Amino acid sequence: MPVTYTPPKEGDDLSVANMTSPFTALRTGVNALEEEDVEREALRDVHLPNLINTSRFTDGLCAVDESSGGFQEYANGLAMSGGSTFPVNLQGFSATASDPGGLTAPYGPLTEATISPSRYDEEGWRIVCNSGGTTYAIEVPCVAMELDGDDTYTGCLVRASCNFRRSSDSPGGANVAAYGISIGIGWEDTGGNKYVIERSVRHFSSSAVNRGDISTFAYIEDADLNAGVDRVTKFFLVFATCQLTPTAANVGYGWEAQVDNGIITVWPMRAGSL
Amino acid sequence: MGDISYPNTISVGTVVSEDVRENLFVPKSTPDSLAVIDGFLDEDNLASAVSSEIPKGLVRRGSFTRPETTGSTLNLDYFREPFDGSWTMSWDAAQERALAIPGCTRRFNIPWDDCKAVYISFRLEVVVDAGYGFDVGNGDYYDTRDNSGTLLDDGSFTGGTYGVNSDYPGETRLMLFYDGEPVKGVSRIIQNGVQGVAKPFNYSGTVDNPNDPMFSAVRHWSGSAIIDPNGPFGSGSYQLSASAADQLAKGFHNVSIRIAHQVYQVRVRTRHITVIPLR
């Protein structure tokens, strides 16, 4: 935007009428510079807006498990799409009400499960959370927003991980080939509905990652928010056990697993029109 | 900062020349006069459309991010000696004695005044040699598996008279440090793995293979964290002592994974630590 104004001429009165118009024009022009208004590359990084505006993430861009040594025992198996048959339902959350610690489904473990191979206690994802309540859930809330640029960001790079501490079947055990653990990244809309980004779901053999870290990530765009219809209010980490070699005899077979040190990071992106 | 709102309003009555001079030429502590043209233009002076969608032509290398990374491939062996002494393992005690791990340590520069966040990502592998077990009754040494061949993962023997050698009683803990302070929650207790990583000591005379596919003893830690003004690191038991704003100040900072243990030996293979300041 060019700065156009009529400068006072020699002999003009120093009047309000003569001053207001050029001052206003100068202010408007300089306060709305564009690249073409100045010499190329004259504008420096201080002229650019910040890539991240953290005001949309009032609780920060990161959530960690603060238990520092505690762990949670999960006994939830992935839900099946049709009763007890494959394929699994990757959108199913546990609906079991709460556990004695006051955690409300689907947050945290349902019970203090006993480590031994047994059927699952429940079906569906649980959001990783220690027994301290949902305050310590591995989730990052945000001011409700679309991811199409209208609400600042065009996407969010979300990474989440937790430590798989122990399984109910030791490495080398009879059932290790069938036992797996699953994690994924989920999000919640303004109506409180929870979803899982299915491409973020990772299944691990309990043997391969025994006592190690399991991680996943996803770049979440507007199309992931129910085809851009909804707005996201939080991102979170979900966990479930699963079986890797389903048979008719053990479909739906779940087991207990211990998890600790969950963490999630959200990196909002302003990619603009690429 | 450079929003030109004018220090004086010229609207009614007699125009005062000093007011005009201030509006035009006088640098103000709050830069609101046209003097900002002399080197103080910034984001406030851009068209509003730029704030919602940054045009490609404005992007400069290093304007938004300044990523740095470090890694190594060697085995790094941490024996018990640096951690000797009579002390009981706890997070506080471990933090006081922790050593930074080369390959997972980085000193980096934040070049801007308005850094919004620092993204940290890292990955490393750890094999913990817990030493050897001790049969209290018979005075015999055993490796770290029980009679059924199950790896004793938590450093304690169960069932019968097996006990842990008192020379190696403890655990292995890894922690993320930022500017020399532990970052709460970004830490790991690494489970024991094998006996005899570097020195065979085993009643059977064999050396465990930490990469055994059935009894893998390699523990992985791939983590990430974001330091930002609103994040979880400003309060709680393992917080950064200063406000996050200090952690994001212009200048040099450091980040490291540190280790403390009370076992015989810990072998660490670092893959990388990556730091990305975000403006």
Side-chain angles (χ1 to χ4, degrees):
Chain A
M1 175 188 297
V3 180
T4 55
Y5 72 106
T6 304
K9 298 187 295 293
E10 187 73 22
D12 283 354
D13 291 337
L14 192 58
S15 64
V16 171
N18 285 340
M19 290 291 102
T20 300
S21 176
F23 270 128
T24 301
L26 287 169
R27 175 176 60 194
T28 302
V30 180
N31 275 346
L33 289 175
E34 294 184 358
E35 190 187 22
E36 53 268 31
D37 297 333
V38 295
E39 186 176 355
R40 181 165 176 78
E41 300 194 354
L43 298 179
R44 302 173 295 137
D45 57 5
V46 298
H47 299 107
L48 295 177
N50 287 91
L51 193 64
I52 290 179
N53 175 0
T54 53
S55 65
R56 284 200 172 272
F57 293 86
T58 54
D59 291 330
L61 301 165
C62 179
V64 299
D65 177 0
E66 301 181 36
S67 57
S68 296
F71 61 88
Q72 310 110 50
E73 291 182 348
Y74 291 84
N76 54 308
L78 282 176
M80 300 298 148
S81 60
S84 60
T85 60
F86 261 61
V88 294
N89 173 11
L90 293 178
Q91 293 297 330
F93 284 83
S94 170
T96 307
S98 63
D99 78 344
L103 290 169
T104 301
Y107 283 93
L110 175 66
T111 61
E112 289 291 317
T114 300
I115 291 292
S116 64
S118 64
R119 285 188 64 84
Y120 57 90
D121 288 347
E122 54 179 322
E123 285 188 339
W125 295 105
R126 302 288 290 202
I127 297 173
V128 176
C129 177
N130 73 27
S131 57
T134 55
T135 301
Y136 302 112
I138 306 303
E139 65 180 8
V140 170
C142 61
V143 175
M145 62 182 183
E146 301 173 9
L147 293 176
D148 59 1
D150 290 345
D151 283 344
T152 305
Y153 300 112
T154 51
C156 286
L157 180 62
V158 183
R159 185 189 185 281
S161 66
C162 62
N163 187 46
F164 175 52
R165 184 185 175 101
R166 189 184 180 193
S167 71
S168 60
D169 198 54
S170 300
N175 296 314
V176 71
Y179 281 14
I181 48 179
S182 304
I183 61 171
I185 292 169
W187 64 280
E188 185 173 311
D189 66 17
T190 52
N193 303 303
K194 296 178 175 62
Y195 308 90
V196 168
I197 302 294
E198 296 196 3
R199 65 177 180 280
S200 73
V201 175
R202 300 283 186 273
H203 306 294
F204 299 89
S205 161
S206 63
S207 179
V209 296
N210 193 54
R211 305 172 187 86
D213 224 70
I214 50 179
S215 62
T216 185
F217 75 96
Y219 183 66
I220 301 174
E221 302 174 282
D222 206 40
D224 296 312
L225 307 184
N226 292 329
V229 173
D230 289 322
R231 291 183 294 162
V232 59
T233 58
K234 66 176 63 170
F235 301 93
F236 48 77
L237 170 64
V238 292
F239 181 89
T241 64
C242 67
Q243 57 172 336
L244 300 173
T245 55
T247 67
N250 65 358
V251 158
Y253 193 80
W255 49 288
E256 296 89 356
Q258 295 177 347
V259 168
D260 61 16
N261 289 111
I263 189 166
I264 186 169
T265 54
V266 179
W267 182 351
M269 298 283 188
R270 298 181 60 184
S273 300
L274 295 178
Chain B
M1 289 293 291
D3 182 33
I4 298 169
S5 56
Y6 292 132
N8 304 300
T9 301
I10 301 170
S11 57
V12 295
T14 304
V15 175
V16 179
S17 60
E18 181 63 16
D19 289 349
V20 175
R21 192 182 75 87
E22 281 192 349
N23 284 4
L24 288 174
F25 304 120
V26 178
K28 310 286 289 186
S29 57
T30 299
D32 54 0
S33 73
L34 285 169
V36 301
I37 293 172
D38 294 328
F40 294 97
L41 292 171
D42 63 16
E43 177 190 346
D44 289 330
N45 306 116
L46 291 183
S48 58
V50 175
S51 296
S52 60
E53 190 163 312
I54 302 168
K56 186 168 61 177
L58 282 182
V59 176
R60 302 280 182 270
R61 179 182 294 274
S63 290
F64 296 120
T65 65
R66 191 66 68 95
E68 301 183 26
T69 191
T70 292
S72 69
T73 56
L74 288 174
N75 291 331
L76 303 170
D77 289 315
Y78 292 85
F79 291 91
R80 176 65 196 278
E81 283 73 8
F83 309 104
D84 267 347
S86 178
W87 58 286
T88 302
M89 179 62 81
S90 68
W91 283 112
D92 285 342
Q95 288 158 5
E96 291 172 0
R97 292 165 174 79
L99 301 177
I101 299 173
C104 268
T105 299
R106 186 76 191 179
R107 182 170 166 81
F108 63 99
N109 183 37
I110 294 177
W112 322 290
D113 287 318
D114 55 348
C115 180
K116 294 296 185 185
V118 173
Y119 182 89
I120 303 164
S121 170
F122 54 87
R123 175 174 170 81
L124 67 167
E125 300 171 358
V126 183
V127 179
V128 177
D129 177 356
Y132 46 86
F134 187 70
D135 186 322
V136 178
N138 298 322
D140 294 332
Y141 294 107
Y142 291 88
D143 68 11
T144 49
R145 288 178 185 160
D146 66 16
N147 290 334
S148 67
T150 300
L151 200 65
L152 296 166
D153 60 286
D154 58 1
S156 63
F157 285 58
T158 59
T161 58
Y162 298 110
V164 174
N165 187 315
S166 59
D167 289 339
Y168 313 118
E171 298 173 333
T172 303
R173 299 195 182 197
L174 299 181
M175 299 146 275
L176 174 67
F177 274 62
Y178 188 95
D179 282 355
E181 299 178 50
V183 179
K184 69 173 179 179
V186 189
S187 54
R188 283 287 187 281
I189 298 174
I190 305 296
Q191 304 275 359
N192 293 346
V194 298
Q195 179 269 321
V197 169
K199 183 181 75 171
F201 189 97
N202 188 306
Y203 70 94
S204 65
T206 60
V207 178
D208 284 336
N209 173 15
N211 300 308
D212 186 323
M214 290 296 286
F215 298 97
S216 176
V218 180
R219 318 295 186 215
H220 298 263
W221 186 19
S222 57
S224 59
I226 294 181
I227 310 294
D228 73 271
N230 303 316
F233 305 119
S235 61
S237 55
Y238 294 101
Q239 79 279 19
L240 298 166
S241 63
S243 68
D246 290 338
Q247 320 304 333
L248 304 177
K250 183 177 182 178
F252 282 92
H253 301 263
N254 62 75
V255 61
S256 60
I257 301 294
R258 301 190 184 188
I259 182 173
H261 72 77
Q262 287 186 312
V263 296
Y264 176 67
Q265 177 189 355
V266 178
R267 173 164 292 176
V268 180
R269 291 192 287 264
T270 65
R271 291 308 181 228
H272 77 101
I273 190 164
T274 299
V275 183
I276 308 177
L278 301 167
R279 183 185 160 270

